[in-house]
Amino acid sequence: MNAEQIKHLQHQEQEQTQKQVKVKVQKKRWISRGEKFLYTVASGIVLTASVFMVQFSSTTDALNRDVQKLEQQVKVQKTTNENLQYEVKELSNPDRILKIAKENGLKIQNAKVKQASTIGN
């Protein structure tokens, strides 16, 4: 090949490279837009569910504490009631009643003192 042919070939190559259309190469994304949307929605749902679960457990815990306080109050009230019932039995003793009656000047005329609960029998 002579110099003119080489120049001609080089000139053609230069024209071909200039004529080549620049093609935009799109890089493949790691996550597509649709996938991003789905992941965002799923994350939102999981986050919302976890917030509701924490709120529910907190409410349940508060209710359990209230129930325990009420149970404690019931125990205290039962103890108080039992003590008062015992005191009522002591105060309603017939001997005590007769003693108080004599102190206040009442006279008992050979009557039998009966407790109110036995009258109905």
Side-chain angles (χ1 to χ4, degrees), residues 5-78:
Q5 288 178 347
I6 292 175
K7 281 185 181 181
H8 183 61
L9 283 175
Q10 286 176 350
H11 189 317
Q12 283 179 347
E13 284 179 17
Q14 285 177 355
E15 284 179 7
Q16 284 178 355
T17 56
Q18 288 175 356
K19 288 182 181 179
Q20 287 179 351
V21 177
K22 291 185 180 180
V23 178
K24 275 190 172 179
V25 177
Q26 291 184 346
K27 294 180 183 179
K28 185 176 180 183
R29 294 182 179 176
W30 185 58
I31 300 174
S32 69
R33 286 183 182 177
E35 289 174 333
K36 283 183 184 178
F37 176 73
L38 290 176
Y39 290 144
T40 303
V41 170
S43 300
I45 290 172
V46 168
L47 182 64
T48 304
S50 63
V51 167
F52 281 122
M53 288 176 62
V54 168
Q55 183 181 9
F56 178 74
S57 64
S58 173
T59 304
T60 303
D61 183 51
L63 287 174
N64 284 337
R65 289 181 189 203
D66 290 342
V67 167
Q68 288 176 351
K69 285 180 185 177
L70 289 174
E71 286 175 351
Q72 185 64 28
Q73 289 176 354
V74 166
K75 286 180 183 178
V76 169
Q77 190 63 43
K78 280 184 179 180

Side-chain angles (χ1 to χ4, degrees), residues 85-102:
Q85 285 176 348
Y86 180 74
E87 189 176 338
V88 165
K89 285 181 182 179
E90 282 183 356
L91 294 175
S92 65
N93 186 359
D95 294 331
R96 181 183 166 275
I97 295 172
L98 288 174
K99 180 182 172 187
I100 293 173
K102 285 179 183 179

